[in-house]
Each structure stands twice: as structure tokens, then as C-alpha cells.
Amino acid sequence: MPNSSSIVIDVQNAVKQYGSGDSSIFALNDVSLQIEAGDYVAIMGPSGSGKSTLMNIMGALDNLTEGRYFLDGIEVSAMDENALSVVRGRKIGFIFQSFNLIPRTTAIANVELPLAYQGIKPAERKLRATKALEVVGLADRMSHEPTELSGGQQQRVAVARALVTRPALLLADEPTGALDSKSTADLLDLFDQINKAGRTVVVITHEDDVGARAKRVVRMRDGKIISDTRQRGLHR
């Protein structure tokens, strides 16, 4: 178990193998990665590099074949599915390329949903969802449904929904893939703001302009980490 409470992600000698024998494929091959609280990391690589598999492991969406994974000091790799579901709901805020908003449901109701799953009372849910939407600049769109919002606004609702549970980790999978250049820039500005407020942000991306905004870039190929670079930038 990691010694420092500042480490949010601790992946140790991770192996993810599909198949067996000569037909086996190693999506992850002895991958180790630590990410400290408050960091902003982009995990990059071409299709088939292992970045999406690593995201699924970090997001407690898949199990390792070998190795160990600790999330915010808790060994996730030893949990059953029920325990994993609780960890996902409380420790991780997910942002996906396709937004995954519930149609014909207002922005504020979409943001409240994970709090409802946690049994938070309605008044508290509404207060926290309102604050989250204010953070992402959508205070005037709370009663709008997804079809009444632009792609960029829908993604901001998704970010608010990810933040509302106050997670240890904000995990974004190709979050700009469905956005135009202006909405992409706005979303990356928002990630900067969220990270500066102390939130740990991990973005899975193949886009160099997205990776350039992170503090640290981890590049993968053939199931392995091939480089891990700390970046410098005026916005940090």
C-alpha cells in the first residue's frame, strides 16, 4: 500500500491479458504509474497503445490480470463488483466523449443523479448541483434539457455531474472528441480552472493540443509506458 496519502493513483506492475497461449494479447504489460493529488495528467498514445485499458483500470471499470491498483489509498484490485461500484460513485468523476446525459431531463437533474444514488437528501442535492453548474458557467441553463444545449454546454453539464460528488479523481476519456475547436478550448480552460482549485485531473487523449494543456504527459505504446514527462506552461 502506498505510504503517502498524497498519492491518488498507484498502479503497480499492471498486466491486462486477453486470451491465452500463442493467441494471447497484452493490453497492459507491466505498467506502473503513480499520480499525486492535485496533478493534471494526460495519458496519450495511438489506438491499441493501452491507454483506454489503463483508463478502465484507473476508473475501476475492469480488473487486472496481474498487479495491484490503489485509488486514494484503497486497494481497488482486491474488490468485488459491489465494492467497485461504491468506489466509482464516491471516488471518481467520469467525463466521456459522448456526454452520457439523460435525455428529456434538465441539466440540474442530470447533475443531481449521482447524489441520488448516494442517498443524499433532495435539498442538499439541489444545492450541490446548483453550485457545480455555477462552477462550469451554466447557472443560466439549469432548467434546459440536453437537446436545448450545444455540444460544449452538454459537456459542461457532464463535468458538473462529475464534480458534484467531490471525487478524489476527475477522469476524462477523449472529452473533446465530439467538440468543435471553440468548445474544446473552453473545456480545456475549465479543466485548468478545476485543477487550479486542487482537483486531480487525468485525461485520456490522442490529441496533442489537449495533452499540451496538462502538467504531465504519459505516453503509451504496445501496452507499455514509453515516456513520462513533466511539462511547463504559462497557465500553470
Side-chain angles (χ1 to χ4, degrees):
M1 185 171 177
N3 294 322
S4 173
S5 60
S6 69
I7 297 174
V8 173
I9 288 176
D10 187 14
V11 179
Q12 302 177 1
N13 306 110
V15 173
K16 182 63 179 181
Q17 181 180 4
Y18 297 100
S20 60
D22 293 340
S23 62
S24 65
I25 297 173
F26 287 88
L28 295 178
N29 192 351
D30 195 25
V31 169
S32 294
L33 177 68
Q34 287 189 337
I35 297 175
E36 293 184 354
D39 210 348
Y40 180 178
V41 181
I43 297 177
M44 305 187 67
S47 178
S49 64
K51 66 182 187 300
S52 294
T53 302
L54 182 57
M55 186 216 72
N56 287 338
I57 296 300
M58 291 189 297
L61 297 168
D62 201 355
N63 297 314
L64 289 169
T65 305
E66 297 177 22
R68 303 174 79 185
Y69 171 42
F70 297 86
L71 172 63
D72 205 24
I74 300 170
E75 185 167 8
V76 175
S77 49
M79 291 182 174
D80 61 23
E81 181 52 42
N82 288 336
L84 285 175
S85 179
V86 172
V87 166
R88 284 194 297 267
R90 296 186 182 276
K91 294 287 187 181
I92 306 169
F94 290 98
I95 303 166
F96 298 101
Q97 176 177 335
S98 57
F99 316 141
N100 289 358
L101 300 179
I102 298 174
R104 296 180 296 281
T105 304
T106 63
I108 193 167
N110 267 284
V111 175
E112 283 186 43
L113 189 60
L115 298 178
Y117 289 146
Q118 292 183 10
I120 305 296
K121 293 182 178 179
E124 176 69 9
R125 290 202 309 259
K126 185 174 182 180
L127 178 63
R128 286 172 60 175
T130 298
K131 289 182 177 179
L133 285 164
E134 288 172 350
V135 166
V136 302
L138 289 179
D140 59 342
R141 295 290 188 272
M142 294 186 190
S143 62
H144 288 57
E145 297 180 4
T147 55
E148 299 172 317
L149 300 171
S150 69
Q153 289 171 335
Q154 289 183 62
Q155 191 62 295
R156 283 173 173 264
V157 174
V159 172
R161 182 184 56 193
L163 290 173
V164 77
T165 59
R166 300 165 184 165
L169 170 66
L170 192 67
L171 185 58
D173 182 21
E174 300 284 0
T176 62
L179 302 180
D180 60 28
S181 58
K182 174 63 166 61
S183 296
T184 292
D186 289 345
L187 181 66
L188 295 177
D189 287 344
L190 179 58
F191 282 174
D192 288 346
Q193 173 188 335
I194 291 167
N195 179 245
K196 286 176 180 176
R199 191 74 59 193
T200 307
V201 179
V202 176
V203 178
I204 312 300
T205 184
H206 67 277
E207 299 180 37
D208 289 333
D209 58 335
V210 176
R213 297 289 289 266
K215 294 177 178 176
R216 176 182 172 195
V217 173
V218 175
R219 293 188 182 273
M220 299 189 68
R221 185 177 295 276
D222 299 329
K224 293 178 176 288
I225 292 175
I226 60 171
S227 68
D228 187 343
T229 306
R230 179 69 56 180
Q231 300 192 121
R232 295 180 180 179
L234 296 177
H235 67 289
R236 287 179 289 277

